[in-house]
Amino acid sequence: FLNQMSQQIMDDNDDNAFILLNTPCAEAVVCGKINTRNSAMVAKQLDIAHQLATNKTVAAIVTGPLQKSALIDADIKLLDGTMFSGHTEFFMQQSGCEKVVMMLANQAMKVALVTTHLALKDIPAAITADNVRQTVQIVIDDMREKFGLTQPRILVCGLNPHAGEGGHLGVEEIEIREKSNGTHLATQFCYAFIRKRYRYSTYLAIFRSLEYK
């Protein structure tokens, strides 16, 4: 099925062509109503998109919001057996990657995230020096390769209010800086990064939701 689909797309030489792939639902869709019987259809769409991208039939995947709880309640899991937490984790595991970085970007600024879909209570344990350092390196590599910046400057935002206020409002920032061994984390932790947006090429938010503020 996918081979035929890929061939159909490749055989169409019209750059303006729009090819609609039909993935049937188990039941009729009712606007505003979550139906877990249709969750498998959503998972199938993601799987098809991933395969078309990995075999280079398509150049990119554009995703829209999906109701994660519908897939979780339908007991649809990621490859490692954990609950379905989002597109990011799905494509990461399907691609065999250990780490991916979510980024929100426009012409004014770029914001990358150290963590993605985690409960707030689980974030401090996930903010390790290795995790931050690895995220920063991925962002730096992509700033050079995909955005053409020869010397990208990364500003790392703090986890705590006022970046911990010297340890009085949390010590995570201090612990990460001390363990960074002078690598790229020697930028700065900043809670009011919007004010400095024109000085940096990318801002690294510690957790999801912070990037929207």
Side-chain angles (χ1 to χ4, degrees):
F1 171 68
L2 266 179
N3 289 337
Q4 293 177 347
M5 186 186 307
S6 298
Q7 192 61 48
Q8 175 189 355
I9 295 173
M10 294 174 67
D11 287 345
D12 196 321
N13 295 320
D14 186 355
D15 292 337
N16 296 317
F18 181 85
I19 299 176
L20 181 64
L21 306 178
N22 179 38
T23 308
C25 299
E27 294 183 355
V29 175
V30 178
C31 185
K33 182 179 179 180
I34 299 173
N35 186 347
T36 57
R37 287 182 54 80
N38 287 331
S39 298
M41 174 270 296
V42 178
K44 182 64 176 177
Q45 288 181 339
L46 295 177
D47 187 56
I48 290 174
H50 171 260
Q51 293 187 54
L52 291 175
T54 52
N55 66 19
K56 301 187 185 305
T57 301
V58 299
I61 299 173
V62 179
T63 63
L66 58 79
Q67 186 72 30
K68 300 172 185 62
S69 64
L71 280 79
I72 296 171
D73 291 342
D75 202 32
I76 293 175
K77 301 183 182 299
L78 299 174
L79 281 181
D80 65 357
T82 57
M83 73 174 190
F84 185 92
S85 48
H87 301 93
T88 310
E89 295 80 6
F90 174 84
F91 289 125
M92 178 184 75
Q93 293 192 16
Q94 292 293 116
S95 302
C97 298
E98 294 183 3
K99 170 75 175 178
V100 295
V101 176
M102 182 187 297
M103 174 182 285
L104 296 90
N106 59 29
Q107 293 182 343
M109 64 189 302
K110 302 172 185 65
V111 180
L113 311 177
V114 176
T115 61
T116 52
H117 302 104
L118 286 178
L120 194 59
K121 65 181 179 60
D122 297 327
I123 290 173
I127 304 302
T128 64
D130 284 343
N131 192 6
V132 176
R133 188 187 303 109
Q134 189 178 14
T135 304
V136 170
Q137 190 59 60
I138 290 173
V139 171
I140 288 176
D141 291 343
D142 276 7
M143 287 298 100
R144 290 170 175 162
E145 179 182 346
K146 295 181 172 61
F147 292 91
L149 301 178
T150 56
Q151 294 183 317
R153 301 181 67 204
I154 313 298
L155 184 145
V156 183
C157 304
L159 171 67
N160 298 294
H162 304 274
E165 202 69 73
H168 296 290
L169 298 178
V171 297
E172 284 81 4
E173 290 83 3
I174 295 174
E175 291 175 348
I176 291 173
R177 187 181 291 113
E178 288 177 348
K179 294 177 182 178
S180 68
N181 298 322
T183 59
H184 296 298
L185 298 192
T187 49
Q188 63 174 301
F189 286 90
C190 177
Y191 69 99
F193 63 93
I194 296 296
R195 299 176 184 175
K196 301 175 181 291
R197 66 184 179 206
Y198 298 111
R199 294 178 53 194
Y200 294 86
S201 54
T202 310
Y203 306 89
L204 190 64
I206 294 297
F207 59 95
R208 184 72 185 268
S209 292
L210 176 63
E211 84 275 18
Y212 296 115
K213 294 182 179 178

